[in-house]
Amino acid sequence: CVGGHSRRLPIPGAELATVPEDVLSLTELPRRVAVIGAGNTGAQLVTVFRSFGSEVTLLDVAPRVLMASDARISKVIAESFVAHGVAVHTGIDTVERLDELDGAIRLTWRESDDAHTVDVDVVIMATGWPADVEDLGLDRAGVEVERSAIPVDRYFRTIVPHILAVGDANGRDMLVQAAQFEGEAAAENAVLGANRRTPHHLLPAGGFTDPDYAGVGLTEEQARDRDPSCVVATVRFADLDRAVIDDRETGFLTLIADRRRELVLGAHAVGENAVEVIQSVTTAMAAGIDVA
């Protein structure tokens, strides 16, 4: 359970960029910021810097922000970014280079085969979190590494069965609560024999953007692939008295349920207190509570 580190893009001038764990060491608020990477970390950094008044540009090669989240959540967050004055560029071809320029940094990217530039004070690369596996001598132990992570089976065993890998090391769910849960399971499997797995479908994930968002379990697409008859219901926050009174009408909650057993298969929310809402639904799912 060795943790991970931020990845810099292999481009000219990458050393000029700041990585997320170094943001707190900035000595002053940058007036202009470019964030490369629109995943959970990048999206939250966009919200933080824009809230403090920085001009923010967001870039990603993915076709939308928050690719791991429900597509409708992605749409709400992207629209919120634009409404707050963030320049959002998704689906770009590539980031080409960073150049130092009179105390600033010029970022060059390619979009629709055209070159574009923006001059900023800070570039933040939120472009991946590979595991810290480079100097472990895993090749000598016979342990395989694929794309900077160690493949494991459902009991967290590597290809060498008496060596187990959890948390960032196996590249599955790079969240603190996942690593803790996996670590307990792997320790039990190592001592008592492989018998314990972790229900990753009950791992909620989200981010503290404005508004915040979260999800747990299956997405609608995943659920319909498994069972086309599943029930998907969405309630807009604008239809709820409390949200109207609080003037926090942006967002929705979607519940995905099994039609036969009426169990909740997934939940996705964006809006005020979405993280807390999804945590409550996760607790209900873990307890096997039905929709009623």
Side-chain angles (χ1 to χ4, degrees), residues 146-164:
E146 295 180 4
R147 298 183 64 185
S148 302
I150 303 170
V152 295
D153 65 12
R154 57 185 180 173
Y155 301 106
F156 309 106
R157 296 175 300 190
T158 68
I159 194 172
V160 182
H162 69 278
I163 299 177
L164 294 83

Side-chain angles (χ1 to χ4, degrees), residues 64-77 219 252:
R64 59 181 174 87
V65 304
L66 301 173
M67 275 298 293
S69 296
D70 178 270
R72 289 167 296 181
I73 286 176
S74 170
K75 183 174 184 291
V76 171
I77 296 299
T219 63
F252 62 84

Side-chain angles (χ1 to χ4, degrees), residues 186 196 240:
R196 184 176 169 190
L240 304 177

Side-chain angles (χ1 to χ4, degrees), residues 158-176:
T158 68
I159 194 172
V160 182
H162 69 278
I163 299 177
L164 294 83
V166 301
D168 295 348
N170 65 39
R172 286 183 177 175
D173 292 292
M174 289 166 284
L175 297 167
V176 173

Side-chain angles (χ1 to χ4, degrees), residues 201 216-223 226 256 265-268 285:
H201 67 285
V216 66
L218 301 179
T219 63
E220 179 177 351
E221 182 180 7
Q222 292 168 335
R226 297 188 185 190
I256 303 164
L265 303 176
H268 306 275
M285 292 171 66

